[in-house]
Coordinates of all heavy atoms in Angstrom, one line a residue:
M1 N 28.2 -5.1 124.3 CA 28.6 -6.0 125.5 C 28.2 -5.3 126.8 O 27.9 -6.0 127.7 CB 30.1 -6.1 125.5 CG 30.7 -7.3 126.3 SD 30.0 -8.9 125.9 CE 30.7 -9.1 124.3
Q2 N 28.1 -4.0 126.8 CA 27.7 -3.3 128.0 C 26.3 -3.8 128.5 O 26.1 -3.8 129.7 CB 27.7 -1.8 127.7 CG 27.9 -1.0 128.9 CD 29.2 -1.2 129.6 OE1 30.2 -1.6 129.0 NE2 29.2 -0.9 130.9
K3 N 25.5 -4.1 127.5 CA 24.1 -4.5 127.9 C 24.1 -5.7 128.8 O 23.2 -5.8 129.7 CB 23.4 -4.9 126.6 CG 22.0 -5.3 126.7 CD 21.4 -5.5 125.3 CE 20.1 -6.2 125.3 NZ 19.7 -6.6 124.0
Y4 N 25.0 -6.6 128.7 CA 25.0 -7.9 129.5 C 25.9 -7.8 130.7 O 26.1 -8.8 131.4 CB 25.5 -9.1 128.6 CG 24.6 -9.2 127.4 CD1 25.1 -8.8 126.1 CD2 23.3 -9.7 127.5 CE1 24.3 -9.0 125.0 CE2 22.5 -9.8 126.4 CZ 23.0 -9.5 125.1 OH 22.3 -9.6 124.0
Y5 N 26.5 -6.6 130.9 CA 27.5 -6.5 131.9 C 27.1 -5.4 132.9 O 26.9 -4.3 132.6 CB 28.8 -6.2 131.3 CG 30.0 -6.0 132.2 CD1 30.4 -7.0 133.0 CD2 30.6 -4.8 132.3 CE1 31.4 -6.9 133.9 CE2 31.6 -4.6 133.3 CZ 32.0 -5.7 134.0 OH 33.1 -5.5 134.9
D6 N 27.1 -5.8 134.2 CA 26.7 -4.8 135.2 C 28.0 -4.5 136.0 O 28.5 -5.3 136.7 CB 25.7 -5.5 136.2 CG 25.2 -4.5 137.2 OD1 25.7 -3.3 137.2 OD2 24.4 -4.9 138.1
R7 N 28.5 -3.2 135.7 CA 29.8 -2.8 136.4 C 29.6 -2.8 137.9 O 30.7 -2.9 138.6 CB 30.2 -1.5 135.9 CG 31.0 -1.5 134.7 CD 31.5 -0.1 134.3 NE 32.2 -0.2 133.1 CZ 33.5 -0.2 133.0 NH1 34.2 -0.1 134.1 NH2 34.1 -0.3 131.9
K8 N 28.4 -2.6 138.4 CA 28.3 -2.6 139.9 C 28.5 -4.0 140.5 O 29.0 -4.1 141.6 CB 26.9 -2.1 140.2 CG 26.7 -0.6 140.0 CD 25.4 -0.2 140.3 CE 25.2 1.3 139.8 NZ 23.8 1.7 139.8
K9 N 28.2 -5.0 139.7 CA 28.4 -6.4 140.2 C 29.8 -6.9 140.0 O 30.3 -7.6 140.8 CB 27.5 -7.3 139.4 CG 26.2 -7.6 140.0 CD 25.5 -8.7 139.3 CE 24.1 -9.0 139.8 NZ 23.4 -10.0 139.0
H10 N 30.5 -6.5 138.9 CA 31.8 -7.0 138.5 C 32.7 -5.9 138.3 O 32.5 -5.1 137.3 CB 31.7 -7.9 137.3 CG 30.6 -9.0 137.3 ND1 30.7 -10.0 138.2 CD2 29.5 -9.1 136.7 CE1 29.7 -10.8 138.0 NE2 28.9 -10.2 137.1
D11 N 33.8 -5.9 139.0 CA 34.8 -4.9 138.8 C 35.6 -5.2 137.5 O 35.8 -6.4 137.2 CB 35.8 -4.8 139.9 CG 35.1 -4.2 141.2 OD1 34.2 -3.4 141.0 OD2 35.5 -4.6 142.3
P12 N 36.1 -4.2 136.8 CA 36.9 -4.5 135.6 C 38.2 -5.1 136.0 O 38.9 -4.6 136.9 CB 37.1 -3.1 134.9 CG 36.7 -2.1 135.9 CD 35.8 -2.7 136.9
R13 N 38.6 -6.2 135.4 CA 39.9 -6.8 135.7 C 40.5 -7.3 134.4 O 39.8 -7.8 133.5 CB 39.6 -8.0 136.6 CG 39.2 -7.8 138.0 CD 38.7 -9.0 138.7 NE 39.7 -10.0 138.8 CZ 40.5 -10.3 139.9 NH1 40.3 -9.5 140.9 NH2 41.4 -11.2 139.8
C14 N 41.8 -7.3 134.3 CA 42.4 -7.8 133.1 C 42.1 -9.3 132.9 O 42.0 -9.8 131.8 CB 44.0 -7.7 133.2 SG 44.6 -6.0 133.1
E15 N 41.8 -9.9 134.0 CA 41.4 -11.4 133.9 C 40.2 -11.6 133.0 O 40.1 -12.7 132.4 CB 41.1 -11.8 135.3 CG 40.8 -13.3 135.5 CD 40.6 -13.6 136.9 OE1 40.4 -12.8 137.8 OE2 40.5 -14.9 137.2
Y16 N 39.3 -10.6 132.9 CA 38.1 -10.9 132.1 C 38.1 -9.9 130.9 O 37.1 -9.8 130.2 CB 36.9 -10.5 132.9 CG 36.8 -11.3 134.2 CD1 36.6 -10.6 135.4 CD2 37.0 -12.6 134.3 CE1 36.5 -11.4 136.6 CE2 36.9 -13.4 135.4 CZ 36.7 -12.7 136.6 OH 36.7 -13.4 137.7
C17 N 39.3 -9.4 130.5 CA 39.3 -8.5 129.4 C 39.4 -9.2 128.0 O 40.0 -10.3 128.0 CB 40.5 -7.5 129.5 SG 40.7 -6.4 128.2
I18 N 38.8 -8.7 127.1 CA 38.8 -9.3 125.7 C 40.2 -9.3 125.1 O 40.5 -10.1 124.2 CB 37.7 -8.6 124.9 CG1 37.3 -9.4 123.7 CG2 38.2 -7.2 124.4 CD1 36.1 -8.9 123.0
Y19 N 41.1 -8.4 125.5 CA 42.4 -8.2 124.9 C 43.5 -9.1 125.7 O 44.6 -9.0 125.4 CB 42.8 -6.8 124.9 CG 41.9 -5.9 124.1 CD1 41.2 -4.9 124.8 CD2 41.8 -6.1 122.8 CE1 40.3 -4.2 124.1 CE2 40.9 -5.3 122.1 CZ 40.2 -4.4 122.7 OH 39.3 -3.6 121.9
A20 N 43.1 -9.8 126.7 CA 44.0 -10.6 127.5 C 43.9 -12.1 127.1 O 42.9 -12.6 126.9 CB 43.8 -10.4 129.0
K21 N 45.1 -12.7 127.2 CA 45.2 -14.2 127.2 C 45.5 -14.6 128.6 O 46.5 -14.0 129.2 CB 46.2 -14.7 126.2 CG 46.0 -14.2 124.8 CD 45.4 -15.3 124.0 CE 45.3 -14.9 122.5 NZ 43.9 -14.8 122.0
I22 N 44.9 -15.7 129.0 CA 45.1 -16.1 130.4 C 45.8 -17.5 130.3 O 45.2 -18.4 129.8 CB 43.9 -16.2 131.2 CG1 43.0 -14.9 131.1 CG2 44.1 -16.6 132.7 CD1 43.7 -13.8 131.8
P23 N 47.1 -17.6 130.9 CA 47.7 -18.9 130.8 C 47.0 -19.9 131.7 O 46.2 -19.6 132.6 CB 49.2 -18.7 131.3 CG 49.1 -17.3 132.0 CD 47.9 -16.6 131.5
L24 N 47.3 -21.2 131.6 CA 46.6 -22.3 132.3 C 46.7 -22.1 133.8 O 45.8 -22.4 134.6 CB 47.1 -23.7 131.9 CG 46.6 -24.2 130.5 CD1 47.2 -25.5 130.2 CD2 45.1 -24.2 130.5
D25 N 47.9 -21.7 134.3 CA 48.0 -21.5 135.8 C 47.3 -20.3 136.3 O 47.3 -20.0 137.5 CB 49.5 -21.5 136.2 CG 50.3 -20.3 135.6 OD1 49.7 -19.5 134.9 OD2 51.5 -20.2 136.0
R26 N 46.8 -19.5 135.5 CA 46.0 -18.2 135.8 C 46.8 -17.4 136.8 O 46.2 -16.8 137.7 CB 44.7 -18.7 136.4 CG 43.8 -19.5 135.5 CD 42.3 -19.7 136.0 NE 41.6 -18.4 136.0 CZ 41.0 -18.0 134.9 NH1 41.1 -18.7 133.8 NH2 40.4 -16.9 134.9
S27 N 48.1 -17.2 136.6 CA 48.9 -16.4 137.4 C 48.9 -14.9 137.0 O 49.1 -14.0 137.8 CB 50.3 -16.9 137.6 OG 50.9 -17.0 136.3
V28 N 48.9 -14.7 135.7 CA 49.0 -13.3 135.1 C 48.1 -13.2 133.9 O 47.5 -14.2 133.4 CB 50.4 -13.0 134.6 CG1 51.3 -12.8 135.8 CG2 50.9 -14.0 133.7
A29 N 47.9 -12.0 133.4 CA 47.1 -11.8 132.2 C 48.1 -11.3 131.1 O 49.0 -10.4 131.4 CB 46.1 -10.8 132.4
L30 N 48.1 -11.9 129.9 CA 49.0 -11.4 128.9 C 48.2 -10.6 127.9 O 47.4 -11.0 127.1 CB 49.5 -12.7 128.1 CG 50.2 -13.7 129.1 CD1 50.6 -15.0 128.2 CD2 51.4 -13.2 129.7
C31 N 48.5 -9.2 128.1 CA 47.7 -8.2 127.4 C 48.2 -8.0 126.0 O 49.5 -8.0 125.8 CB 47.7 -6.9 128.2 SG 46.9 -5.6 127.3
K32 N 47.4 -7.9 125.0 CA 47.7 -7.5 123.7 C 48.5 -6.2 123.6 O 49.3 -6.0 122.7 CB 46.4 -7.5 122.8 CG 46.6 -7.1 121.4 CD 45.2 -7.1 120.7 CE 45.4 -6.7 119.3 NZ 44.1 -6.6 118.6
F33 N 48.2 -5.3 124.4 CA 48.8 -3.9 124.4 C 49.9 -3.7 125.4 O 50.9 -3.1 125.1 CB 47.7 -2.9 124.6 CG 46.6 -3.0 123.6 CD1 45.4 -3.4 124.0 CD2 46.8 -2.4 122.4 CE1 44.3 -3.5 123.0 CE2 45.8 -2.5 121.4 CZ 44.6 -3.0 121.7
D34 N 49.7 -4.2 126.6 CA 50.5 -3.8 127.8 C 51.4 -5.0 128.2 O 52.2 -4.8 129.2 CB 49.8 -3.3 128.9 CG 49.0 -1.9 128.6 OD1 49.6 -1.3 127.7 OD2 48.0 -1.7 129.2
G35 N 51.3 -6.1 127.6 CA 52.2 -7.2 128.0 C 51.7 -7.9 129.3 O 50.5 -8.1 129.4
V36 N 52.6 -8.3 130.2 CA 52.2 -9.1 131.3 C 51.6 -8.1 132.4 O 52.2 -7.2 132.7 CB 53.4 -9.7 132.0 CG1 53.1 -10.5 133.2 CG2 54.1 -10.7 131.0
M37 N 50.4 -8.5 132.8 CA 49.6 -7.6 133.7 C 49.1 -8.5 134.9 O 48.8 -9.7 134.7 CB 48.4 -7.0 133.1 CG 48.7 -6.0 131.9 SD 49.6 -4.5 132.5 CE 48.2 -3.7 133.3
P38 N 49.0 -7.9 136.1 CA 48.3 -8.6 137.2 C 46.8 -8.9 136.8 O 46.2 -8.1 136.1 CB 48.5 -7.7 138.4 CG 49.4 -6.7 138.0 CD 49.5 -6.6 136.5
L39 N 46.3 -10.0 137.3 CA 45.0 -10.3 137.0 C 43.9 -9.2 137.5 O 42.9 -9.0 136.8 CB 44.6 -11.6 137.6 CG 45.3 -12.8 137.1 CD1 44.9 -14.1 137.9 CD2 45.0 -13.1 135.6
D40 N 44.2 -8.6 138.6 CA 43.3 -7.6 139.1 C 43.4 -6.2 138.7 O 42.8 -5.3 139.1 CB 43.3 -7.7 140.7 CG 44.7 -7.4 141.2 OD1 45.6 -7.3 140.4 OD2 44.8 -7.3 142.4
S41 N 44.4 -6.0 137.7 CA 44.6 -4.7 137.1 C 43.5 -4.4 136.0 O 42.8 -5.3 135.6 CB 46.0 -4.6 136.6 OG 46.2 -3.3 136.0
H42 N 43.5 -3.1 135.5 CA 42.7 -2.8 134.3 C 43.1 -1.5 133.8 O 43.9 -0.8 134.4 CB 41.2 -2.8 134.6 CG 40.8 -1.7 135.5 ND1 40.9 -1.6 136.8 CD2 40.2 -0.5 135.1 CE1 40.4 -0.5 137.3 NE2 40.0 0.2 136.3
C43 N 42.7 -1.1 132.6 CA 43.0 0.2 132.0 C 41.8 0.7 131.2 O 40.7 0.0 131.2 CB 44.2 0.1 131.0 SG 43.8 -0.8 129.5
R44 N 41.9 1.8 130.5 CA 40.8 2.4 129.9 C 40.3 1.6 128.6 O 39.2 1.8 128.2 CB 41.1 3.8 129.4 CG 42.2 3.9 128.4 CD 42.6 5.3 128.1 NE 43.8 5.4 127.3 CZ 43.9 5.1 126.0 NH1 42.8 5.0 125.4 NH2 45.0 5.2 125.4
R45 N 41.1 0.7 128.1 CA 40.7 -0.1 127.0 C 39.9 -1.4 127.4 O 39.4 -2.1 126.6 CB 41.9 -0.6 126.2 CG 42.6 0.5 125.4 CD 43.8 -0.1 124.7 NE 44.8 -0.5 125.6 CZ 46.0 0.1 125.8 NH1 46.2 1.2 125.1 NH2 46.8 -0.3 126.6
Y46 N 39.7 -1.5 128.7 CA 39.0 -2.7 129.2 C 37.7 -3.0 128.4 O 36.9 -2.1 128.3 CB 38.8 -2.6 130.7 CG 38.0 -3.7 131.2 CD1 38.6 -5.0 131.5 CD2 36.6 -3.6 131.5 CE1 37.9 -6.0 132.0 CE2 35.9 -4.7 132.0 CZ 36.5 -5.9 132.3 OH 35.8 -6.9 132.8
D47 N 37.5 -4.2 128.1 CA 36.2 -4.6 127.5 C 35.9 -6.0 128.0 O 36.8 -6.9 127.8 CB 36.3 -4.6 125.9 CG 34.9 -4.6 125.3 OD1 33.9 -4.5 126.0 OD2 34.9 -4.6 124.1
Y48 N 34.8 -6.2 128.5 CA 34.4 -7.5 129.1 C 34.2 -8.6 128.2 O 33.5 -8.5 127.2 CB 33.1 -7.3 130.0 CG 32.7 -8.5 130.7 CD1 33.5 -9.1 131.7 CD2 31.4 -9.0 130.5 CE1 33.0 -10.2 132.4 CE2 30.9 -10.1 131.2 CZ 31.7 -10.7 132.1 OH 31.4 -11.8 132.8
D49 N 34.8 -9.8 128.5 CA 34.6 -11.0 127.7 C 34.0 -12.0 128.6 O 34.6 -12.6 129.5 CB 35.9 -11.5 127.2 CG 35.8 -12.8 126.4 OD1 34.7 -13.2 126.2 OD2 36.8 -13.2 125.8
P50 N 32.6 -12.2 128.5 CA 32.0 -13.1 129.4 C 32.5 -14.6 129.3 O 32.3 -15.3 130.3 CB 30.5 -13.0 128.9 CG 30.5 -12.5 127.6 CD 31.8 -11.7 127.5
L51 N 33.1 -15.0 128.3 CA 33.6 -16.4 128.2 C 34.8 -16.6 129.0 O 35.2 -17.7 129.2 CB 33.9 -16.7 126.7 CG 32.7 -16.7 125.8 CD1 33.1 -17.0 124.4 CD2 31.6 -17.7 126.3
K52 N 35.4 -15.5 129.5 CA 36.7 -15.7 130.3 C 36.3 -15.9 131.8 O 37.1 -16.2 132.6 CB 37.6 -14.5 130.2 CG 38.2 -14.5 128.8 CD 39.5 -13.7 128.8 CE 40.2 -13.9 127.4 NZ 40.5 -12.7 126.8
R53 N 35.0 -15.6 132.2 CA 34.7 -15.7 133.6 C 34.5 -17.2 134.0 O 33.9 -17.9 133.3 CB 33.4 -14.9 133.9 CG 33.0 -15.0 135.3 CD 31.9 -14.1 135.6 NE 32.3 -12.7 135.5 CZ 32.9 -12.1 136.5 NH1 33.1 -12.7 137.6 NH2 33.2 -10.8 136.3
V54 N 35.2 -17.5 135.1 CA 35.1 -18.9 135.6 C 34.0 -18.8 136.7 O 34.3 -18.1 137.7 CB 36.4 -19.4 136.1 CG1 36.2 -20.8 136.7 CG2 37.4 -19.4 135.0
P55 N 32.9 -19.4 136.5 CA 31.8 -19.4 137.6 C 32.3 -20.0 138.9 O 33.1 -20.9 138.9 CB 30.6 -20.1 137.0 CG 31.1 -20.8 135.7 CD 32.5 -20.3 135.4
K56 N 31.7 -19.5 139.9 CA 32.0 -20.0 141.2 C 31.4 -21.4 141.4 O 30.4 -21.7 140.7 CB 31.4 -19.2 142.4 CG 32.1 -17.9 142.5 CD 31.4 -17.1 143.6 CE 32.0 -15.7 143.7 NZ 31.2 -14.9 144.6
K57 N 32.1 -22.3 142.1 CA 31.5 -23.6 142.3 C 30.3 -23.6 143.1 O 30.2 -22.8 144.1 CB 32.6 -24.5 142.9 CG 33.7 -24.9 142.0 CD 34.6 -25.9 142.7 CE 35.7 -26.3 141.7 NZ 36.6 -27.3 142.3
L58 N 29.3 -24.4 142.7 CA 28.0 -24.5 143.5 C 28.4 -25.2 144.8 O 29.1 -26.2 144.8 CB 27.0 -25.2 142.7 CG 26.2 -24.4 141.7 CD1 25.2 -25.3 141.0 CD2 25.6 -23.2 142.2
R59 N 27.8 -24.7 145.9 CA 27.9 -25.4 147.1 C 26.6 -26.0 147.5 O 25.6 -25.3 147.6 CB 28.3 -24.4 148.2 CG 29.0 -25.1 149.4 CD 29.6 -24.1 150.4 NE 29.2 -24.6 151.7 CZ 28.4 -23.9 152.5 NH1 27.9 -22.8 152.2 NH2 28.1 -24.5 153.7
I60 N 26.6 -27.3 147.6 CA 25.3 -28.0 147.9 C 25.3 -28.4 149.3 O 26.2 -29.0 149.8 CB 25.2 -29.3 147.0 CG1 25.2 -28.9 145.5 CG2 24.0 -30.1 147.3 CD1 25.3 -30.1 144.6
D61 N 24.2 -28.0 150.0 CA 24.1 -28.4 151.4 C 24.0 -29.9 151.6 O 23.3 -30.5 150.8 CB 22.9 -27.7 152.0 CG 23.1 -26.2 152.1 OD1 24.3 -25.7 152.2 OD2 22.1 -25.5 152.2
T62 N 24.7 -30.4 152.5 CA 24.6 -31.9 152.7 C 24.0 -32.2 154.1 O 24.0 -33.3 154.5 CB 26.0 -32.4 152.7 OG1 26.8 -31.7 153.7 CG2 26.6 -32.3 151.3
D63 N 23.4 -31.2 154.7 CA 22.8 -31.4 156.0 C 21.3 -31.8 155.9 O 20.5 -31.3 156.7 CB 23.0 -30.2 156.9 CG 22.4 -29.0 156.3 OD1 22.2 -28.9 155.1 OD2 22.2 -28.0 157.1
Y64 N 20.9 -32.6 154.9 CA 19.6 -33.1 154.7 C 19.3 -34.4 155.5 O 20.3 -35.2 155.8 CB 19.2 -33.2 153.2 CG 20.2 -34.0 152.4 CD1 20.2 -35.4 152.5 CD2 21.1 -33.4 151.7 CE1 21.1 -36.1 151.8 CE2 22.1 -34.0 151.0 CZ 22.1 -35.4 151.0 OH 23.0 -36.1 150.3
T65 N 18.1 -34.7 155.7 CA 17.7 -35.9 156.4 C 16.8 -36.8 155.6 O 16.4 -36.3 154.5 CB 17.0 -35.6 157.8 OG1 15.8 -34.9 157.4 CG2 17.8 -34.7 158.7
A66 N 16.5 -38.0 155.9 CA 15.7 -38.9 155.2 C 14.3 -38.3 155.1 O 13.6 -38.5 154.1 CB 15.6 -40.2 155.9
E67 N 13.9 -37.5 156.0 CA 12.5 -36.9 156.0 C 12.4 -35.9 154.8 O 11.2 -35.6 154.4 CB 12.2 -36.3 157.3 CG 12.0 -37.3 158.4 CD 11.2 -36.8 159.6 OE1 10.7 -35.7 159.5 OE2 11.2 -37.4 160.6
D68 N 13.5 -35.3 154.4 CA 13.4 -34.3 153.3 C 13.0 -35.0 152.0 O 12.5 -34.4 151.1 CB 14.8 -33.7 153.1 CG 15.1 -32.8 154.3 OD1 14.2 -32.3 155.0 OD2 16.4 -32.6 154.5
F69 N 13.1 -36.3 151.9 CA 12.8 -37.1 150.7 C 11.4 -37.8 150.8 O 11.1 -38.5 149.8 CB 13.9 -38.1 150.3 CG 15.2 -37.4 150.1 CD1 16.2 -37.3 151.1 CD2 15.4 -36.8 148.9 CE1 17.4 -36.6 150.8 CE2 16.7 -36.1 148.6 CZ 17.6 -36.1 149.6
K70 N 10.7 -37.6 151.9 CA 9.4 -38.3 152.0 C 8.3 -37.4 151.4 O 8.3 -36.2 151.5 CB 9.1 -38.6 153.5 CG 10.0 -39.7 154.0 CD 9.5 -40.0 155.5 CE 10.3 -41.1 156.0 NZ 10.1 -41.3 157.4
L71 N 7.3 -38.1 150.8 CA 6.2 -37.4 150.3 C 5.1 -37.3 151.3 O 4.9 -38.1 152.1 CB 5.7 -38.1 149.0 CG 6.7 -38.1 147.8 CD1 6.1 -38.9 146.7 CD2 7.0 -36.6 147.4
Ligands
LIG101 S1 45.7 -3.8 130.4 FE1 43.8 -3.0 129.7 S2 43.6 -3.9 127.6 FE2 45.2 -5.0 128.6 S3 44.1 -6.8 129.4 FE3 44.1 -5.2 131.1 S4 42.2 -4.1 130.8 FE4 42.5 -5.2 128.9

C-alpha cells in the first residue's frame, strides 16, 4: 500500500485507516483496536485505505463567455 501513498501529501488520519469504520455522519472513527477515535487522530498501526478517501469536489469556473466556444 505504501507504493500508492505519499505521506508528504496526506497526513495519517484515523479517517483513512484500514482498521476504522466511519459512520454516515462522519463525526468519529470507530477503530477495531482503540474504539471511538477523532477523525484526525492516528497511531502506529495506521495503514492507508484509499477507498475511504472522499475526493474534493471539482470546482468548475463559470466565468466563461460566448467567445470561449467559437472556433
Ligand atoms: S487508532 Fe490507529 S488503528 Fe485505530 S483507526 Fe486510528 S490509526 Fe487506525
